Amino acid sequence: MDIYRFLSADDDSSFCHKVTKALAEGWVLYGEPKYCFDPDAGKMRCGQAVIKQVADQPYDPDRKLTDYE
């Protein structure tokens, strides 16, 4: 089964660290990164989808996606 996450943060090094951590944990980039301006915060925000293939198991919407192995 593939599981999907969308990572987002301000456009700064914390976002890069978040994506790098996900890659180190076995997640794979899915699609291109996205950028948009948040007018309320006055900042650029970025996002990146990642997926991870895990052993077949029942999907549980109450389970953290990072808990799947």
Side-chain angles (χ1 to χ4, degrees):
M1 164 172 83
D2 286 335
I3 52 176
Y4 169 94
R5 289 172 61 197
F6 187 77
L7 308 173
S8 63
D10 291 341
D11 186 14
D12 59 22
S13 65
S14 68
F15 175 73
C16 296
H17 287 284
K18 187 182 283 192
V19 173
T20 300
K21 182 177 185 287
L23 295 173
E25 293 173 345
W27 295 83
V28 177
L29 299 177
Y30 183 79
E32 298 179 2
K34 304 298 180 195
Y35 298 93
C36 68
F37 182 71
D38 179 349
D40 294 332
K43 297 180 180 182
M44 289 298 291
R45 303 264 306 155
C46 37
Q48 174 67 57
V50 293
I51 60 171
K52 184 176 185 181
Q53 191 165 53
V54 298
D56 285 335
Q57 51 197 291
Y59 171 70
D60 179 356
D62 294 325
R63 185 176 180 185
K64 285 185 169 185
L65 294 174
T66 55
D67 289 344
Y68 283 95
E69 294 188 26

